Amino acid sequence: MDQLPTDRLSPLASRVDDVLALYGYEIGPAIEAIDGAVTGYGGLFSPGTSDGEIRAAVEEVLAAGPPSEGDSRRSGDRDVVLYVDGSSRGNPGPAGAGAVIRTEGGPVARLGRPVGASAENNTAEYAALHLGLEALAARCDPETVEVRIDSRTVIDDVWGDGDGVAAAAPYRPAIRDRLAALSACEWTHLVDSDPNPADARAAVGADIAALGP
């Protein structure tokens, strides 16, 4: 996957996002790689880890290059479910995007990334859908896709006749292109009580967006 657009991030959060892009936005392995490069017993989110230690660890991971995973593209998955969610603390505030791709065989990808140091929740929701669709295009060739999403703003804009939000401009054209390329796609609106595995990834993305001064 190519690196995806973000809103304004601190230099430190931006470099962490570089690591996420290197790892295809698989947030778990990317953070594990950073944690492994932090000296001592700290990690990316350890209170005892300084910004300088995080910077050094991130540069070490980036210098090592992408992980060796072979061909990650899957074929034969007829039906795919894509969960997406955005998170903004303060709305606007540190914001993150999450996406989880599942098939009958189980999860294919668990993705997350920062969106901006001071972004609205709606922006994060568009970024999450964009993230999931880009990963879907890179990894799967399904016959049908069901997008499970809790944002009515995004649903009404992308699949209906809503006006959306101005901050969605970096994401909207690519979202529509990716959806148009799918053989079949439907959406399901999630309510607050519905489980959404993308929520936790979006929350971690918001944590990353809050890094740095």
Side-chain angles (χ1 to χ4, degrees):
M1 288 173 60
D2 294 331
Q3 190 150 12
L4 304 180
T6 64
D7 202 343
R8 182 183 60 83
L9 292 171
S10 73
L12 182 58
S14 181
R15 289 304 273 169
V16 175
D17 188 56
D18 291 341
V19 173
L20 291 168
L22 190 72
Y23 277 69
Y25 296 101
E26 284 279 5
I27 197 165
I31 291 176
E32 287 176 5
I34 295 172
D35 288 350
V38 173
T39 57
Y41 296 99
L44 178 62
F45 297 120
S46 173
T49 305
S50 69
D51 287 353
E53 289 173 324
I54 295 174
R55 288 189 185 94
V58 165
E59 296 305 326
E60 180 178 328
V61 174
L62 290 171
S68 177
E69 296 181 349
D71 185 5
S72 61
R73 187 169 184 85
R74 295 166 60 106
S75 59
D77 293 321
R78 293 169 53 88
D79 304 315
V80 170
V81 176
L82 171 60
Y83 289 90
V84 297
D85 197 21
S87 174
S88 174
R89 294 176 183 167
N91 196 27
V100 173
I101 300 173
R102 284 185 172 174
T103 68
E104 290 184 358
V108 173
R110 302 177 180 92
L111 314 168
R113 63 178 309 228
V115 173
S118 183
E120 294 182 351
N121 189 70
N122 280 331
T123 306
E125 296 282 1
Y126 280 95
L129 180 56
H130 183 213
L131 171 64
L133 291 172
E134 291 295 330
L136 191 66
R139 303 181 188 207
C140 302
D141 188 20
E143 291 187 9
T144 66
V145 175
E146 179 191 358
V147 178
R148 298 184 182 176
I149 180 173
D150 63 10
S151 172
R152 290 298 321 191
T153 298
V154 177
I155 291 170
D156 291 343
D157 178 20
V158 174
W159 287 282
D161 55 5
D163 294 330
V165 295
Y171 310 104
R172 188 184 291 110
I175 287 171
R176 288 181 169 161
D177 287 348
R178 289 302 187 190
L179 288 173
L182 294 173
S183 299
C185 182
E186 60 183 22
W187 56 268
T188 296
H189 178 236
L190 300 177
V191 299
D192 290 343
S193 59
D194 291 327
N196 187 346
D199 175 71
R201 281 78 192 177
V204 176
D207 289 339
I208 294 170
L211 292 172

